[in-house]
Amino acid sequence: MRRFVRIMPAAVLAAVLLFVPPGLAQEAAPTGGIAILNQERLISQTLYGQRIQRELELASNALAAENRRIEGQLSEEELRLTELRDTLQAEEFRALADDFDSRVEGIRAAQDAKARDLQDQTEIAQARFFELTLPILLDLVRARGAAVLMDSRAVLLSADSVDITEAAITRIDAELGEGGARPLISLDGAASADAPDDDPGADPDAPPPPIPPQTEP
């Protein structure tokens, strides 16, 4: 299936535009004040991004299988209903046919809603991914002594030294891993759209932090 990739909005990417303190700029390798980032590679080549794509594909395949199963069941029911046409009164058959049509429309609407929900979950997961990577990108831009981070799609020609994509992928994999234990995308809605993801670098088996003692007012 075709991958669904949500590119970081220009307004979010613009948040990485910054002025670097002179001391840091002198220590960093000269880059002409600009760093380049390929956002599609962040999604396709990081562990976190690959997990988003993998979970989307698994959920989409499960939805397609579910649709085929439902279609088969409805086809069988429609065939049985057709066979009853000659044995029922016209009004009785029409009532059964109308009920069947109504249920088919409801089922189709429900399955379409599931497909839209998968797309929404994907957009949320990718937005969360870029939100978590923003501090990493900011740090890399500062380390390069650059003042501007640009999307590679907007650049006609650049030197390899100004592209931070490879360094970003390495840092993101090291710091975020696959994005935590909670499902990012699921057909049954197990992935939460509103709650923030757990700490991607945290150990899911680690004990919870101790509760501080209560003090009297």
Side-chain angles (χ1 to χ4, degrees), residues 63-82 100-101 103-104 107-108 111 114:
L63 179 59
E66 185 176 275
N67 287 338
R68 289 192 297 270
R69 176 179 56 79
I70 293 174
E71 182 180 359
Q73 293 173 345
L74 292 176
S75 296
E76 291 178 0
E77 186 174 350
E78 183 179 24
L79 180 60
R80 289 195 299 269
L81 184 61
T82 301
F100 175 77
D101 291 341
R103 286 190 293 107
V104 168
I107 291 171
R108 286 176 177 171
Q111 296 305 106
K114 289 183 180 181

Side-chain angles (χ1 to χ4, degrees), residues 106-172:
I107 291 171
R108 286 176 177 171
Q111 296 305 106
D112 289 344
K114 289 183 180 181
R116 291 192 300 271
D117 181 62
L118 288 183
Q119 180 173 338
D120 290 343
Q121 288 186 57
T122 304
E123 292 181 356
I124 290 169
Q126 292 188 349
R128 178 62 173 160
F129 169 79
F130 283 122
E131 177 185 346
L132 292 171
T133 60
L134 192 58
I136 297 173
L137 300 178
L138 182 61
D139 186 55
L140 289 172
V141 170
R142 284 174 173 161
R144 294 295 181 95
V148 176
L149 177 61
M150 295 185 63
D151 192 317
S152 60
R153 297 173 303 166
V155 178
L156 180 62
L157 185 64
S158 67
D160 291 340
S161 60
V162 303
D163 193 316
I164 67 169
T165 305
E166 194 65 39
I169 292 172
T170 300
R171 281 279 302 275
I172 291 168

Side-chain angles (χ1 to χ4, degrees), residues 175-206:
E175 297 185 24
L176 302 182
E178 290 194 339
R182 178 183 303 158
L184 302 177
I185 301 169
S186 66
L187 183 59
D188 59 5
S192 173
D194 298 321
D197 194 9
D198 48 351
D199 182 357
D203 182 359
D205 298 324

Side-chain angles (χ1 to χ4, degrees), residues 35-54:
I36 305 299
L37 178 71
N38 186 320
Q39 295 185 68
E40 291 188 359
R41 285 187 61 198
L42 290 191
I43 287 290
S44 64
Q45 297 183 19
T46 57
L47 296 174
Y48 195 150
Q50 289 172 352
R51 179 187 173 189
I52 293 174
Q53 299 301 322
R54 184 171 64 252

